[in-house]
Amino acid sequence: MQPWLSQQSAMQPRRVPEQSTEELRTMDVHDDVFIGGRWVRSASAARIDVLNPATEEVWASVPDGDEHDIDRAVRAARSAFPAWAATSPTNRAAVLRRLADELDARATELSRIITTENGTPIAESGAAPSHSAAHLRLTAELASTLDTVDDRPNPMAPGHTVVHRVPVGVAGLITPWNFPLGLIIIKLGPALLAGCTVVIKPAPETPMAMRALMDAVTAAGVPEGVVNLVTGSTEAGTALVTHPGVDKISFTGSTNVGRVIARACGERLRPVTLELGGKSPAIVLDDFDRDAFARNLLRVSMRNTGQTCKACTRLLVPAARHDEIASMAGEIVSTAHMGDPFDPTTFFGPLVSARQRDRVAGYLASGHAEGAKAVTGGDVSTQFDRGFYIEPTVFSHVTPRMKIAREEIFGPVLSVIPYRDIDDAVEIANDSPYGLAATVFGTDEARATAVAERLATGNIGINHYGSNAAAPFGGHKDSGLGTEFAAEGLAAYLQFTSIHYQS
């Protein structure tokens, strides 16, 4: 995932249409950050240019915030905390529902911004506002769990204890560029419902969706200082993680950066939630349903042009059927449309940046050098005049020790790996430092479930891309610490006070 520090027949040459970005020809320049309920001039003179990855044009510019901006934002959140924490959970839930309504009202604008700043195909980004609104409404339904008096009798002596759930305090929320709206909402919703105030630091590649979110926050009537935004890169992120006025950090991003943040939080005895990287397997059983496989493979393995932490990019297949399934996967991938991300038929858009394109190209070169065979794709795309495009690639004859089978690529690259039997498949699947997600394809649901239960990972879909906003989401091993979504995600922003009575 993005660090904080710092379909062959359908792939016809298509230039990005001029009308896709015509309205963005004028630079969208800002010199302010959102602190204390209003836009205020940044203390930093440094700038972040926002690039359209489909056209390579700079279309916006925002402040590269510094420690002074972070300090002001944290102080504003600290000042707003007592009143917000004292607001009833029912009233906090009402604010979440109003914010959900504002996201729905701004859906077209938000999805346009997301696609423009990170290249997510509009077919994907178009659903982001409604999904985010749904998350907020589901979170709001948890208010009753905070209103309920938790009175527990003492089983060892006379008396009882009333357990109070209280907010942690000021939460720093740091998010990556691949799903800039959704990944902040799944942190923001539970933080606000719990009674926390927040400072948001988005990825430097995707600040504009967060600026639009602040307009929604204002329109929803969120009290001043409860939600603050500082755009920036390394300095802003470091300042937020280490600020003495921050009580909790929630970070989504790379495992390497997660370790840095975990060390900083550990030194300060500060709670931290880390949703980190993955190299997830998809196990194809010998009784798999070809239609279900064809319908779901792209979302399982290459959603958002492969720039998805949960992407199951290791396709484990029976050795006897390796060539058959690799060919099938190649056909599915090669016939998915790559091109203009504003075209609703596009599945593969550009990668977010030239750096990310070059990084993925390095993995393609490694795959070739180590003896993998490209069933489709295998190189940087030359079909477009502009844009950071990589050919969607399926490698066959991949062994578990190859670099493309071990490391998170974060691009449209699928590795087909043969296995001898189920035990071998499970061993290969679990032989990874990561444990974020998995998929099992099989007609016999009980058999597929039995395989799923042997996998050392936090999230597993049976025959599809599995996710449920009402169920906990978190990684095992190097894929993270803590949990998001549902009541478990809400608990991450709470701490507990027990008041004991003798009678």
Side-chain angles (χ1 to χ4, degrees):
M1 303 192 71
Q2 168 64 14
W4 141 59
L5 293 180
S6 26
Q7 294 165 335
Q8 217 67 355
S9 61
M11 289 183 184
Q12 300 305 317
R14 294 164 59 102
R15 297 191 178 190
V16 177
E18 292 297 322
Q19 62 266 27
S20 295
T21 55
E22 187 62 39
E23 60 187 301
L24 300 169
R25 292 298 181 186
T26 302
M27 278 277 291
D28 197 353
V29 179
H30 303 276
D31 61 4
D32 47 10
V33 290
F34 190 79
I35 296 175
R38 57 184 58 85
W39 293 103
V40 298
R41 181 179 289 275
S42 171
S44 172
R47 309 293 304 172
I48 294 174
D49 288 338
V50 185
L51 207 65
N52 181 333
T55 67
E56 303 183 38
E57 295 175 340
V58 175
W59 66 279
S61 179
V62 299
D64 187 357
D66 61 16
E67 60 183 355
H68 303 292
D69 291 324
I70 290 293
D71 182 63
R72 286 191 296 166
V74 172
R75 290 177 183 274
R78 190 98 253 151
S79 178
F81 174 67
W84 182 244
T87 303
S88 72
T90 298
N91 288 337
R92 295 197 296 256
V95 172
L96 291 191
R97 292 187 180 99
R98 292 200 300 270
L99 181 55
D101 292 341
E102 293 297 331
L103 295 186
D104 281 336
R106 293 166 166 76
T108 300
E109 174 196 9
L110 283 165
S111 59
R112 178 188 64 83
I113 291 171
I114 292 168
T115 293
T116 305
E117 64 183 352
N118 76 354
T120 295
I122 198 71
E124 175 79 44
S125 67
S130 62
H131 285 174
S132 297
H135 266 281
L136 289 173
R137 295 186 180 106
L138 284 168
T139 301
E141 292 177 7
L142 297 172
S144 61
T145 66
L146 302 180
D147 280 323
T148 303
V149 176
D150 187 0
D151 193 340
R152 306 182 189 184
N154 187 339
M156 301 177 66
H160 65 107
T161 299
V162 176
V163 179
H164 292 263
R165 297 170 177 84
V166 297
V168 169
V170 175
L173 311 181
I174 303 174
T175 52
W177 45 258
N178 55 330
F179 293 97
L181 180 62
L183 290 178
I184 195 61
I185 288 297
I186 63 177
K187 301 177 187 297
L188 180 63
L192 295 184
L193 184 65
C196 296
T197 55
V198 306
V199 177
I200 298 170
K201 207 296 287 184
E205 293 87 350
T206 52
M208 299 304 290
M210 287 302 94
R211 291 184 63 91
L213 176 61
M214 294 307 99
D215 293 338
V217 163
T218 301
V222 178
E224 294 179 358
V226 170
V227 177
N228 305 274
L229 169 72
V230 176
T231 55
S233 49
T234 302
E235 183 177 352
T238 302
L240 183 57
V241 169
T242 59
H243 196 289
V246 173
D247 301 295
K248 176 190 172 58
I249 292 292
S250 181
F251 169 76
T252 298
S254 75
T255 295
N256 287 340
V257 175
R259 287 193 176 96
V260 174
I261 292 174
R263 283 194 291 269
C265 290
E267 290 173 357
R268 293 161 179 79
L269 297 180
R270 178 174 299 161
V272 60
T273 299
L274 302 172
E275 197 273 280
L276 306 176
K279 188 65 179 178
S280 301
I283 299 177
V284 182
L285 302 181
D286 54 13
D287 69 339
F288 79 103
D289 182 294
R290 294 175 65 90
D291 290 338
F293 180 80
R295 284 194 309 271
N296 291 293
L297 180 64
L298 288 173
R299 281 187 65 78
V300 163
S301 299
M302 291 187 167
R303 184 184 179 193
N304 197 20
T305 317
Q307 299 170 121
T308 304
C309 60
K310 284 176 57 177
C312 295
T313 56
R314 291 186 293 150
L315 190 65
L316 279 53
V317 306
R321 302 182 67 180
H322 169 274
D323 292 352
E324 169 202 349
I325 298 173
S327 177
M328 185 178 180
E331 182 178 357
I332 292 166
V333 170
S334 68
T335 54
H337 180 219
M338 179 174 71
D340 175 12
F342 278 98
D343 183 340
T345 68
T346 292
F347 185 84
F348 293 112
L351 299 186
V352 70
S353 65
R355 182 176 67 176
Q356 186 65 12
R357 177 200 59 199
D358 294 345
R359 179 176 183 273
V360 175
Y363 280 104
L364 296 180
S366 173
H368 291 300
E370 291 191 293
K373 308 299 181 185
V375 177
T376 189
D379 204 346
V380 173
S381 175
T382 59
Q383 300 181 42
F384 306 98
D385 296 334
R386 297 167 293 168
F388 308 126
Y389 288 90
I390 283 278
E391 293 177 348
T393 299
V394 175
F395 277 120
S396 66
H397 298 89
V398 177
T399 65
R401 307 316 299 175
M402 288 182 182
K403 187 176 181 179
I404 58 172
R406 302 296 300 174
E407 299 182 13
E408 184 177 41
I409 298 174
F410 227 59
V413 182
L414 178 62
S415 296
V416 182
I417 304 170
Y419 66 80
R420 297 186 306 274
D421 53 28
I422 295 300
D423 288 343
D424 189 39
V426 170
E427 182 178 353
I428 294 171
N430 289 338
D431 181 22
S432 171
Y434 299 107
L436 186 58
T439 301
V440 181
F441 287 101
T443 302
D444 185 333
E445 188 170 291
R447 181 172 178 241
T449 299
V451 173
E453 290 172 346
R454 298 175 63 187
L455 301 180
T457 190
N459 309 274
I460 305 168
I462 304 298
N463 291 315
H464 78 303
Y465 184 87
S467 186
N468 181 350
F473 178 89
H476 298 181
K477 299 187 285 187
D478 288 359
S479 287
L481 289 174
T483 302
E484 296 186 308
F485 291 13
E488 293 83 357
L490 175 62
Y493 296 91
L494 296 170
Q495 54 191 348
F496 301 89
T497 298
S498 296
I499 302 178
H500 307 286
Y501 300 88
Q502 286 188 323
S503 60

